[in-house]
Amino acid sequence: MTTARAWSPLLSGDLAAAALEAVEAIAADLAATASLISPFGPDPEFSLGRGTAGQALFLAYLDEALPGRGYGGLGEDLLEQAVEVAAALRPLPDQPLDPAQDRSRDFCAGRSGVIWTVEHLRSRRADAAGEMPWDREALAFARRAAGRGCVDSGAVDPGLRQGAAGIAHLCNRLFQATGEEPFADAARAGFGRVLETRRRDEGIGGFQVGPGFLNGAAGIGLALLAAISDVEPAWDRLLPELIPCGLSGRMADAGPVFAGGFEAR
């Protein structure tokens, strides 16, 4: 058993400043996109994985870390849009639903992800810190993977699900839980790689990705925000394939992700 530690910022100095700049740029671009779409009604891409629900999740956490800047209001608007569009997908009682078009059971692309986002943001402050069970073999595997490093492979996917932000956040989560510096070193190196892919005034917040959560700017923003603020990223509990905390015996599932671990530099 590993006692849960209070969440604290991982990055400092120039790297923290660059991460904050990227996070704020992502938020600004999401706000600009929303203002362009709003005259035509809610954004039809409502999902957690790629649409307004994922953006709302990012903005809610950003508002908690940087209150009073309007991020919360924008996040609420986007979540309302997601709920409105998702609810409209439900057919009338006398209309049969084509199974091929039913997105209700798809967590990333359907209504269930929107429902989770609403409930998560509503109840997250009620979460209590406690003890997290750790599988000893899983933690030993994580230590070996973080310490092994890897050869720079060139172009890096900065995303959360299968890219640099996901690996870096995983290492940060392990550091926050254990206090072991090799995880912190690997996380800092990973976030450095994420920020190296950023090109100011291009894409969304400088990243050549979509706006969504799993593979897009909202997910990158959440990972960077978790590295520079003391707001504990409870959102990562929905990513067991990336975040093994509290999931005894599931570290093996993270093997393919960890296999591309970062060499501190």
Side-chain angles (χ1 to χ4, degrees):
M1 301 286 285
T2 301
T3 302
R5 294 152 30 105
W7 192 268
S8 60
L10 171 78
L11 305 181
S12 60
D14 291 344
L15 197 56
L20 178 59
E21 178 185 329
V23 166
E24 292 179 326
I26 289 171
D29 283 350
L30 292 180
T33 300
S35 67
L36 292 174
I37 294 175
S38 60
F40 304 97
D43 189 336
E45 184 47 85
F46 66 90
S47 69
L48 175 62
R50 295 182 297 179
T52 48
Q55 296 168 47
L57 183 67
F58 161 61
L59 290 164
Y61 274 84
L62 183 56
D63 181 64
E64 187 170 346
L66 302 173
R69 302 190 184 185
Y71 298 128
L74 176 59
E76 290 173 3
D77 290 344
L78 291 175
L79 190 56
E80 288 178 4
Q81 291 183 36
V83 170
E84 179 182 346
V85 177
L89 290 179
R90 180 172 297 178
L92 297 175
D94 58 345
Q95 290 181 328
L97 179 64
D98 181 353
Q101 298 177 340
D102 183 10
R103 299 173 67 185
S104 62
R105 298 181 182 180
D106 189 322
F107 184 80
C108 294
R111 288 197 300 265
S112 59
V114 176
I115 294 169
W116 177 89
T117 304
V118 171
E119 292 303 315
H120 174 72
L121 294 179
R122 179 183 298 169
S123 64
R124 112 168 199 82
R125 286 186 179 142
D127 290 341
E131 291 190 340
M132 295 182 295
W134 287 84
D135 183 293
R136 290 184 180 181
E137 293 182 359
L139 192 54
F141 174 83
R143 291 187 183 112
R144 291 195 303 271
R148 184 170 61 240
C150 71
V151 177
D152 192 345
S153 59
V156 174
D157 170 10
L160 184 66
R161 185 176 187 182
Q162 295 178 321
I167 299 171
H169 181 71
L170 174 54
C171 292
N172 188 16
R173 169 60 80 177
L174 291 168
F175 165 67
Q176 299 287 344
T178 67
E180 297 182 15
E181 283 299 322
F183 291 133
D185 292 340
R188 293 186 184 103
F191 285 121
R193 298 279 184 89
V194 172
L195 293 169
E196 285 174 3
T197 70
R198 183 172 179 248
R199 300 292 181 267
R200 289 182 177 85
D201 302 321
E202 295 182 14
I204 298 177
F207 297 99
Q208 297 295 325
V209 295
F213 171 60
L214 284 178
N215 300 311
I220 295 170
L222 279 166
L224 289 171
L225 183 63
I228 59 175
S229 78
D230 58 4
V231 178
E232 196 264 337
W235 52 265
D236 64 17
R237 295 172 189 172
L238 69 90
L239 295 172
E241 74 275 15
L242 290 180
I243 310 299
C245 300
L247 296 172
S248 181
R250 289 297 302 277
M251 193 61 175
D253 292 345
V257 178
F258 244 135
F262 292 108
E263 182 179 4
R265 56 181 183 176

